Amino acid sequence: MATATISSKGQVTLPREVRAALGVSTGDRLDFIRLDDGTYAIVPASHSIRALKGLLPRRDRAVSLEQMDAAIEAGAKGE
């Protein structure tokens, strides 16, 4: 079991094994998530940009500039 101490400024130094397990290093941010039972989970707040791949659906077809202009104009008219 890894143990850490809270400093007088409220700071905690994570033990090396915990940093390694979380995959975090100097400058990384952590999220503290309160669980239903009142305990907290600590998870890295920063993720690789690669983790976002596939998050948004791909469009099946390209849209022309003329189609974009027409859609903008229709939206401005409230159509």
Side-chain angles (χ1 to χ4, degrees):
M1 173 188 269
T3 304
T5 302
I6 301 174
S7 74
S8 61
K9 294 182 178 182
Q11 298 172 334
V12 176
T13 300
L14 296 177
R16 183 180 310 146
E17 64 188 76
V18 174
R19 293 191 311 267
L22 291 173
V24 296
S25 61
T26 303
D28 288 346
R29 298 177 63 85
L30 299 172
D31 283 336
F32 295 82
I33 302 170
R34 186 175 180 153
L35 304 177
D36 291 338
D37 63 1
T39 61
Y40 283 81
I42 301 172
V43 297
S46 56
H47 302 283
S48 167
I49 191 72
R50 294 174 198 263
L52 299 175
K53 183 176 181 179
L55 184 64
L56 298 175
R58 292 187 71 153
R59 290 196 54 99
D60 293 334
R61 59 183 174 79
V63 179
S64 71
L65 291 176
E66 291 79 17
Q67 290 171 312
M68 283 189 230
D69 288 340
I72 292 169
E73 185 177 337
K77 291 180 181 178
E79 297 177 356

